[in-house]
Amino acid sequence: MDYEIVIGLEVHLQLKTDSKMFCGCRNKFGAEPNTLTCPVCLGMPGILPVINKQAFDYALRAGLALNCKIDSFTKFDRKNYFYPDLPKNYQISQYDLPFAKDGWLDIKLTTDNKPLTTKRIGITRVHLEEDTGKLIHPEVRQEAGAEKTQLGYSLVDLNRAGVPLLEIVSKPEINSPEEAYAYLGALKEIMQYLEISDCDMEKGSLRCDTNLSVRPKGDKKLGTKAEIKNINSFKFVKNALVYEAKRQTELLKKGEPVIQETRLWDEKEEVTKPMRSKEEAHDYRYFPEPDLVPVIIDAKWLEEVKKNMPELPETRRKRLINQYQISEHETNVLTQEKAMADYAESGPVRTKTARNLMLGIVLQIINERKIEFGEFARKVPPENLLELAEQLDKKIIVSTMATTVLGKMLDSGKTAAEIIKGQGLEQVSDKSSLEPIIKEVIKNNAKIVADYKGGKKTAIQSLIGQVMKASRGKANPQIVKELLAKLLDN
């Protein structure tokens, strides 16, 4: 019997607001533990929460971008459960009346060099809630080289308690770990374009819970699902789903039941492990939050949010193709993150050489140095990249010198012209300067010269390479080729 997997994803996104969801405490990552708290986010008796308007505006942006229906009446509820990092013993969330529902997100899929296809994944709901605190489990290293061991206690940091959190729940319409990966990538891209979250998984501002079940292929009824919680990288999500799909399929093939439960992904052993039995909604004893009035989203408010919506990635891609007549491939690379698209549109997208620099050595250097594009942009502003492109177009430097110059621009913050002039990197086209170098290369490479004269004309490329090396990359390769041919053929 063939089986198919069904996946639903719940993504938690911290919103990039100035203050927390229901109080005026700063919303800031990395502060000293328990320095950003107040009676409201600590859940002291008698506290009265107040809704953060900026958080709600950001949430509405997300709902609109995900093509959701926005309800004009929504409310907050108390989700009751005990956990050490939840000082109130309940979380303010939204239960039966989320502000956004019934949306969709298109994802792009490609496999085995087949053409790119689009699949639409339904969005069940988007709702707002507050984040919990964070538990810290201190470790101590015994001896040099020995593994860390946990101390016998835990600490709690409540700076995160009350940070606005957006929960985005997909419909169970994802059918492979690869589709889940593409869904998360598309979702992250849109949220970053909306500028409502930094989506940094290392800081915990984007976290993912997965629900996976397996059923006989063609069945309409869903199988028993297992939830895998709080996975903090897209790669781990994909790996966890691959493992869990295999585990459940093997159970069904042996005629054994799949238990509905919450599991954890162990990234070291690369397995999922039982955490607890799965809770149902009634376990949380939801009831309307008595200290907050319902929220009325009127047409004027919604129109104001729509007016301030930034251009979304897919719309931007189509516009760039039409406006600048650049290829779909170039556009996809240049818009893979908003910072890069903004950078390109501030100048480099208009010239072919600058575009090629962005698509080539800029990405190469960023990957090699493992830095964010924003850091690159701060040190090499668009006008400096345009100037480097101009130096190449005017043939002031050899194209192969561009990587060296750009690296020095990134290190020093200087312009291309300053570096080229200061370090004497100008291209050498003067034949009288190049001839002695070329003659020396011919003299020292008798075998290659013999190959060339014996009819292997491609051997000249090796000699050009030797001349380029001897000139420290500054020789004009076209002039070198002409001089080499002239000297070898005579």
Side-chain angles (χ1 to χ4, degrees):
M1 181 183 291
D2 291 333
Y3 291 90
E4 67 176 359
I5 60 176
V6 181
I7 299 165
L9 297 177
E10 297 173 14
V11 172
H12 288 91
L13 197 74
Q14 283 185 349
L15 296 179
K16 203 167 54 175
T17 52
D18 297 328
S19 57
K20 292 186 180 180
M21 186 65 221
F22 300 114
C23 65
C25 289
R26 287 182 67 200
N27 174 12
K28 182 175 181 293
F29 178 83
E32 283 294 311
N34 297 310
T35 56
L36 305 177
T37 61
C38 72
V40 174
C41 56
L42 291 178
M44 298 291 186
I47 53 96
L48 285 175
V50 177
I51 297 171
N52 183 330
K53 172 73 163 41
Q54 186 184 32
F56 224 108
D57 283 346
Y58 284 179
L60 287 170
R61 276 192 205 180
L64 291 168
L66 293 173
N67 308 290
C68 290
K69 296 173 186 170
I70 307 296
D71 277 345
S72 58
F73 181 92
T74 186
K75 68 178 174 64
F76 286 93
D77 303 274
R78 287 191 182 181
K79 181 180 180 181
N80 296 278
Y81 66 100
F82 172 77
Y83 205 65
D85 60 7
L86 189 67
K88 293 196 288 271
N89 287 343
Y90 64 84
Q91 178 188 30
I92 301 179
S93 181
Q94 293 193 284
Y95 177 46
D96 55 340
L97 294 174
F99 72 91
K101 59 189 179 187
D102 299 331
W104 48 265
L105 171 66
D106 284 341
I107 60 173
K108 306 280 188 187
L109 301 168
T110 183
T111 52
D112 301 330
N113 297 320
K114 292 178 182 173
L116 208 62
T117 59
T118 300
K119 179 173 179 179
R120 181 159 293 180
I121 306 295
I123 303 290
T124 302
R125 59 186 281 155
V126 183
H127 71 250
L128 261 173
E129 58 189 24
E130 60 180 339
D131 209 345
T132 61
K134 183 179 179 183
L135 288 178
I136 300 163
H137 310 289
E139 295 177 328
V140 64
R141 189 185 295 278
Q142 303 289 5
E143 298 290 342
E147 290 208 357
K148 292 177 182 177
T149 57
Q150 278 191 5
L151 296 175
Y153 58 87
S154 295
L155 304 170
V156 63
D157 177 8
L158 295 172
N159 283 347
R160 202 178 69 176
V163 165
L165 205 61
L166 200 65
E167 182 168 334
I168 301 165
V169 183
S170 84
K171 291 183 178 174
E173 297 177 347
I174 299 168
N175 296 113
S176 71
E178 291 73 24
E179 287 184 14
Y181 192 89
Y183 171 89
L184 290 171
L187 187 65
K188 179 180 177 183
E189 183 185 55
I190 289 176
M191 296 304 139
Q192 286 182 325
Y193 265 73
L194 292 174
E195 298 183 313
I196 63 174
S197 172
D198 58 20
C199 299
D200 189 334
M201 297 188 84
E202 287 189 5
K203 294 178 183 173
S205 54
L206 191 156
R207 310 191 290 273
C208 181
D209 300 344
T210 72
N211 287 290
L212 182 143
S213 63
V214 175
R215 64 184 176 191
K217 198 164 186 178
D219 266 16
K220 297 297 179 189
K221 186 181 175 185
L222 292 173
T224 304
K225 67 183 178 183
E227 181 183 33
I228 312 169
K229 286 194 78 67
N230 286 334
I231 313 176
N232 61 1
S233 90
F234 289 2
K235 179 184 169 189
F236 291 160
V237 169
K238 195 173 173 182
N239 291 348
L241 290 171
V242 168
Y243 174 85
E244 187 60 19
K246 186 180 174 193
R247 184 186 75 85
Q248 291 190 24
T249 303
E250 287 176 351
L251 283 173
L252 294 177
K253 284 183 176 176
K254 289 189 288 187
E256 297 177 13
V258 174
I259 299 170
Q260 180 166 330
E261 61 185 348
T262 299
R263 299 176 70 86
L264 287 176
W265 171 244
D266 186 323
E267 60 196 55
K268 290 181 182 171
E269 297 182 32
E270 297 196 326
V271 297
T272 62
K273 294 179 176 177
M275 178 184 174
R276 60 173 185 252
S277 61
K278 173 67 181 168
E279 295 92 345
E280 302 290 349
H282 60 75
D283 293 326
Y284 292 117
R285 295 171 290 114
Y286 281 99
F287 65 84
E289 166 58 56
D291 292 331
L292 290 171
V293 295
V295 179
I296 308 297
I297 305 168
D298 60 22
K300 184 180 175 186
W301 182 7
L302 203 54
E303 197 53 43
E304 189 66 25
V305 173
K306 285 179 182 174
K307 195 171 69 178
N308 293 318
M309 289 275 285
E311 188 177 32
L312 295 179
E314 197 56 34
T315 309
R316 190 169 201 175
R317 279 191 268 275
K318 288 176 182 170
R319 180 177 60 76
L320 288 184
I321 290 172
N322 290 329
Q323 187 171 344
Y324 301 106
Q325 286 79 52
I326 58 178
S327 72
E328 186 174 352
H329 169 71
E330 286 178 303
T331 309
N332 287 339
V333 176
L334 292 175
T335 57
Q336 59 185 286
E337 60 177 293
K338 185 172 184 296
M340 185 184 289
D342 290 345
Y343 185 95
E345 278 221 79
S346 64
V349 75
R350 294 178 179 81
T351 79
K352 185 169 179 55
T353 305
R355 281 203 309 275
N356 287 341
L357 286 173
M358 286 193 68
L359 296 165
I361 61 173
V362 169
L363 290 177
Q364 177 192 331
I365 286 178
I366 285 173
N367 289 332
E368 286 174 356
R369 300 195 181 194
K370 295 181 171 48
I371 59 174
E372 299 288 334
F373 188 85
E375 181 180 346
F376 171 84
R378 282 192 294 279
K379 294 180 178 174
V380 183
E383 58 270 22
N384 285 10
L385 191 76
L386 282 169
E387 191 208 48
L388 174 60
E390 189 179 351
Q391 302 283 320
L392 286 165
D393 287 340
K394 290 181 176 176
K395 302 191 184 308
I396 292 172
I397 58 169
V398 184
S399 60
T400 52
M401 188 63 78
T403 303
T404 303
V405 175
L406 187 61
K408 292 179 185 296
M409 290 165 69
L410 187 57
D411 291 335
S412 66
K414 292 181 179 177
T415 65
E418 288 171 334
I419 290 166
I420 292 166
K421 187 175 180 182
Q423 301 196 15
L425 300 177
E426 296 92 342
Q427 181 170 242
V428 178
S429 299
D430 176 42
K431 294 180 180 177
S432 63
S433 300
L434 291 174
E435 270 195 7
I437 301 173
I438 293 171
K439 286 178 178 174
E440 189 68 16
V441 167
I442 291 174
K443 178 183 165 187
N444 294 333
N445 291 276
K447 171 75 170 56
I448 300 172
V449 171
D451 287 345
Y452 177 86
K453 291 190 171 180
K456 189 178 176 183
K457 297 301 181 186
T458 55
I460 198 171
Q461 295 300 330
S462 176
L463 296 173
I464 293 172
Q466 297 281 351
V467 176
M468 296 304 293
K469 186 177 177 183
S471 68
R472 293 171 49 225
K474 297 193 294 181
N476 182 320
Q478 188 56 42
I479 303 291
V480 170
K481 187 175 182 181
E482 290 171 11
L483 286 175
L484 266 171
K486 181 181 172 185
L487 290 170
L488 291 169
D489 292 339
N490 290 332

